[in-house]
Amino acid sequence: MHVLKQMIRQPTALFGLIVVTLVIGLAIAAPWIAPFSPDDQMFDGLSLEGAPLPPGGPYLLGTDTLGRDLFSRLLFGARTSLIIGLVANGIAVAIGLFVGIVAGYLRGLPGNILMRFTDLMMAFPALLLAIMLAALLKPSLWIVAMVIALVNWVQVARIVYTETRGLVERDFIMAERSLGAGHMRVLFMHILPHLMPTAIVWGTLGIATTVLLEATLSFLGVGVQPPQPSWGNIIFESQSYFQAAPWLVFIPGAIILLTALSFNLVGDALRDILDPTQRGRG
């Protein structure tokens, strides 16, 4: 409640929180809100010339190149994009926490091996690595989530490693060890709780990156495959109609941009609120 009250006091954070809540709510309620099935090709969904219909009338945001309701596809596409964002980013944060804590706590040869592997992963461009993995595997909802998780954990691991290295040298950790505390007690009772604000902040900020990466992979044709809608493949399917039916590209693009911006605003606010160095400052 304290964190929520602090966020409500910040206009940008409040805006981001409202948009995130709205997007998540619409995604959950998509089966009840959507006026049509996302896969139904409407008999009157195309013009006499076979072109998509513009926004208005029974189709709130118009229709796509196959005569399907764009509004319904965007609602169900939100479910796909958010599921991948939450699952992939949750796995990435978990992997990053594990690697960073183990490397920072053990140090020595095991820590060096883990961090050199992390540096090696960071040397590869994330998008190219994701495209390669997605091309090797059969793209699907869960495969795309796994691919994104495998390329997004390195930043979390590096941050957690640095913080863990600082924590193990703190006086309260050394005092706990002198009292005979085991490694598991030190890790789970003292180090991990101090890292949770970092995990929460990176978990929130990473959702925006994950949603954008999923949209990019789907746009390139190696993400979630049709007919399952996602925001990225909606743009991919409509790119040839960029001039004739610009709403098919601009509306999903604006939604992706607004969602990513909102998650970033929430993440930035959480970072300021949960950062111990910022407490007590006006």
Side-chain angles (χ1 to χ4, degrees), residues 2-10 13 197 201 266-280:
H2 169 72
V3 172
L4 184 60
K5 290 178 181 178
Q6 291 291 325
M7 293 186 67
I8 292 176
R9 295 174 184 172
Q10 304 179 34
V201 170
V266 173
D268 285 339
L270 286 174
R271 180 177 56 194
D272 294 339
I273 294 170
L274 297 176
D275 185 358
T277 62
Q278 300 296 324
R279 292 174 187 168

Side-chain angles (χ1 to χ4, degrees), residues 53-124:
L53 297 180
Y59 308 111
L60 183 62
L61 298 180
T63 60
D64 67 0
T65 57
L66 297 178
R68 297 171 296 191
D69 180 53
L70 180 61
F71 178 63
S72 301
R73 288 186 63 77
L74 288 173
L75 286 176
F76 281 88
R79 307 184 95 191
T80 302
S81 298
L82 290 179
I83 286 173
I84 291 179
L86 294 172
V87 172
N89 200 55
I91 295 173
V93 170
I95 295 174
L97 273 174
F98 176 78
V99 173
I101 290 175
V102 171
Y105 187 79
L106 295 180
R107 293 178 290 183
L109 181 61
N112 287 333
I113 292 175
L114 286 173
M115 294 318 297
R116 296 299 75 78
F117 176 70
T118 302
D119 293 338
L120 179 64
M121 292 293 294
M122 292 184 72
F124 288 98

Side-chain angles (χ1 to χ4, degrees), residues 9-22:
R9 295 174 184 172
Q10 304 179 34
T12 55
L14 179 60
F15 171 78
L17 191 61
I18 291 173
V19 173
V20 167
T21 303
L22 180 62

Side-chain angles (χ1 to χ4, degrees), residues 24-39:
I24 293 175
L26 290 174
I28 293 174
W32 300 278
I33 296 177
F36 306 98
S37 170
D39 299 326

Side-chain angles (χ1 to χ4, degrees), residues 144-162:
V144 172
M146 184 193 71
V147 167
I148 294 175
L150 290 177
V151 301
N152 271 358
W153 62 269
V154 289
Q155 293 85 359
V156 181
R158 174 58 67 181
I159 295 295
V160 170
Y161 169 75
T162 303

